[in-house]
Amino acid sequence: MFNDVERSLIAQITKYRPELVVSDVDVIGESPDLPYITYDQYMDPQTDVFEPTDNVPITLNVQLKALSSVKNEAKEIAYWLSKLYTEQQPSYELLQQSTRLVVQKATMIPPTRDDLTTGFIFTSGVDLRIELLDGFTDDTQTGQISSIDVSFSNQKKEE
């Protein structure tokens, strides 16, 4: 499920801005050439349903950050990311994925800068709140209840 979400979000970026490289935030080693985007799922899935059901909608959060040596370039990419997942065509394409992914909210992250490197790296990003169907099926119970036949009897109790 998590890999599907990541692939779906990255596919939208590379489809509409193929020149941008997307990297997991936790990758150790050489960074891509600037500008590039980092991806981080920072919150484990949450559900709003309290009873066991199949294919429950869950909510998770993802941060996408644009890194650039030019401050306004990082801001522009982050703003574009905030619009990308809420525009009609990309939203429709995400909904058609196997995860049935819907971006509920795209919130801009305040820009930051890292001046501990050999040059300045400016960071700006977007925080996505995503809802998706988890595809889980409860296979611990055999059979299914197909229907219930209920009958009521209304009798007055004598005193």
Side-chain angles (χ1 to χ4, degrees), residues 10-75:
I10 292 171
Q12 294 299 311
I13 294 170
T14 57
K15 178 178 181 177
Y16 293 102
R17 298 265 308 253
E19 74 278 7
L20 291 174
V21 174
V22 183
S23 174
D24 191 301
V25 74
D26 296 321
V27 171
I28 298 173
E30 290 294 317
S31 299
D33 292 334
L34 295 172
Y36 67 94
I37 296 170
T38 60
Y39 169 96
D40 184 28
Q41 180 187 322
Y42 68 92
M43 183 177 265
D44 289 331
Q46 300 173 347
T47 181
D48 296 324
V49 181
F50 299 102
E51 66 273 352
T53 57
D54 291 343
N55 212 15
V56 174
I58 61 171
T59 303
L60 57 95
N61 291 72
V62 172
Q63 271 190 1
L64 297 168
K65 291 184 181 176
L67 287 81
S68 175
S69 57
V70 180
K71 181 178 8 179
N72 286 337
E73 181 178 47
K75 288 181 184 180

Side-chain angles (χ1 to χ4, degrees), residues 72-103:
N72 286 337
E73 181 178 47
K75 288 181 184 180
E76 183 276 325
I77 294 170
Y79 180 72
W80 175 79
L81 286 168
S82 75
K83 296 295 184 188
L84 172 66
Y85 298 109
T86 56
E87 290 178 339
Q88 184 176 358
Q89 186 61 32
S91 295
Y92 175 76
E93 291 167 359
L94 287 173
L95 188 59
Q96 301 308 306
Q97 302 293 320
S98 60
T99 52
R100 305 282 312 257
L101 190 149
V102 175
V103 175

Side-chain angles (χ1 to χ4, degrees), residues 116-127:
L116 299 175
T117 59
T118 56
F120 286 100
I121 297 178
F122 298 96
T123 304
S124 192
V126 64
D127 185 55

